[in-house]
Amino acid sequence: MRIQAFVVMLFLCGYSLAEEKYTPPQSSALGGVSFDGTAVGQQFHSRFTECDMKNMCDGKKLKYGCSSDQNHNTTILKLKNDTIFYDAKMGLDADGSPYSKNTPGQTDQPETSLRYPLSGKPSINADRVPFIVIPLGGFDNELGVTIGDVAAVVYGQKRVFAVVADQGPKCKLGEGSIQLHELLGHTVCKARDSKGDCVKLRNVGIDKNVQYFIFPGTHKELMLGLTPQNIIEHINSIGETSWQKLTASAE
């Protein structure tokens, strides 16, 4: 009875328990993945739900909440090989791109948390590199995720490998770079200059049903000799190997 009362109380307060068994949309390109995992990060899932339902974060009212840009997170799981999985929306991040540096009045930042191990520590360019953003507030430490880890992002019939390159507000989940959106078939750049850099963005994200798989520990391999010239090759190579291990574990 106490457990039932606790669940009812969570529901009435705007929280939901993370699902231990995730059922992906039928249209997703997820062949070979088993979602028989362990529910983790319940405190983060509760934050995302609270923000969606109340525009609050840890009980504090937010000036810019989630009601118009809901997280749509239903679960956070640890799968085999310690892969961290969650579903969510995917907002748009232009951090580190020429657009972010040259467009006044927008909220994107000219730098990213992940930097190349080169002189001057240059940031990752959102217009050239597929990357995702994870929340602040202990999400990385609790789940064993590190900036620079490689991830697989699935939306519909497309699967793209990306890198964890930035951090955002602790009660918001699901954000991807310009290049990640484009590779997933969600066109966000409306115009490019002679250099190929985006100069006009359609700031519209993907509402929900984006699946994120982060492979903890892969940052160690990715960062070895990393440059803007080889980052895509590194991401894809590490991502494919990690994906094969994940799907093989389901056989």
Side-chain angles (χ1 to χ4, degrees), residues 79-85 132 143-146 148-153 159-162 164 212-220 235 238-247:
L79 306 178
K80 291 183 179 179
N81 300 325
D82 292 329
T83 300
I84 297 298
F85 167 79
I132 64 173
L143 300 180
V145 175
T146 302
D149 279 339
V150 174
V153 183
R159 184 186 74 226
V160 176
F161 296 119
V164 179
Y212 301 82
F213 302 79
I214 301 178
F215 307 114
T218 49
H219 65 281
K220 298 175 183 178
I235 290 172
I238 296 169
E240 187 61 45
T241 298
S242 301
W243 185 262
Q244 291 301 323
K245 289 180 179 178
L246 175 64
T247 55

Side-chain angles (χ1 to χ4, degrees), residues 14-88:
Y15 294 87
S16 62
L17 291 176
E19 299 174 4
E20 291 189 12
K21 179 70 175 179
Y22 173 77
T23 302
Q26 292 184 351
S27 60
S28 293
L30 291 168
V33 175
S34 171
F35 290 96
D36 289 327
T38 303
V40 294
Q42 178 59 45
Q43 68 271 37
F44 308 117
H45 172 69
S46 296
R47 281 177 180 170
F48 308 142
T49 303
E50 179 189 24
C51 190
D52 284 356
M53 299 186 72
K54 297 183 176 183
N55 286 326
M56 298 179 72
C57 182
D58 290 345
K60 297 180 180 179
K61 196 73 176 178
L62 295 172
K63 183 177 181 180
Y64 300 103
C66 301
S67 59
S68 61
D69 184 29
Q70 293 191 5
N71 295 300
H72 287 299
N73 170 243
T74 67
T75 192
I76 306 173
L77 298 173
K78 178 176 284 190
L79 306 178
K80 291 183 179 179
N81 300 325
D82 292 329
T83 300
I84 297 298
F85 167 79
Y86 56 88
D87 63 336

Side-chain angles (χ1 to χ4, degrees), residues 96-153:
S97 69
Y99 178 89
S100 68
K101 299 173 183 178
N102 299 328
T103 308
Q106 45 80 48
T107 59
D108 294 290
Q109 304 298 316
E111 308 297 346
T112 56
S113 299
L114 181 64
R115 306 292 186 91
Y116 289 103
L118 303 171
S119 176
K121 301 293 184 182
S123 288
I124 309 300
N125 183 353
D127 198 17
R128 292 288 187 267
V129 178
F131 71 69
I132 64 173
V133 181
I134 59 173
L136 292 163
F139 187 91
D140 51 354
N141 291 334
E142 180 73 19
L143 300 180
V145 175
T146 302
I147 293 294
D149 279 339
V150 174
V153 183

Side-chain angles (χ1 to χ4, degrees), residues 107-245:
T107 59
D108 294 290
Q109 304 298 316
E111 308 297 346
T112 56
S113 299
L114 181 64
R115 306 292 186 91
Y116 289 103
L118 303 171
S119 176
K121 301 293 184 182
S123 288
I124 309 300
N125 183 353
D127 198 17
R128 292 288 187 267
V129 178
F131 71 69
I132 64 173
V133 181
I134 59 173
L136 292 163
F139 187 91
D140 51 354
N141 291 334
E142 180 73 19
L143 300 180
V145 175
T146 302
I147 293 294
D149 279 339
V150 174
V153 183
V154 176
Y155 179 64
Q157 289 298 304
K158 292 184 179 293
R159 184 186 74 226
V160 176
F161 296 119
V163 62
V164 179
D166 221 345
Q167 292 179 290
K170 68 179 182 179
C171 286
K172 292 206 170 189
L173 183 70
E175 196 170 358
S177 66
I178 298 170
Q179 179 69 354
L180 179 55
H181 278 268
E182 299 276 333
L183 291 174
L184 287 173
H186 184 243
T187 303
V188 291
C189 183
K190 299 175 67 175
R192 294 186 177 276
D193 62 17
S194 59
K195 297 179 181 179
D197 294 328
C198 188
V199 294
K200 190 174 183 180
L201 277 176
R202 183 174 69 94
N203 193 10
V204 177
I206 299 173
D207 182 52
K208 57 183 177 180
N209 291 332
V210 180
Q211 290 91 44
Y212 301 82
F213 302 79
I214 301 178
F215 307 114
T218 49
H219 65 281
K220 298 175 183 178
E221 183 179 355
L222 180 82
M223 297 304 294
L224 293 175
L226 190 67
T227 69
Q229 291 72 37
N230 65 26
I231 187 171
I232 302 300
E233 179 183 356
H234 280 209
I235 290 172
N236 288 336
S237 176
I238 296 169
E240 187 61 45
T241 298
S242 301
W243 185 262
Q244 291 301 323
K245 289 180 179 178

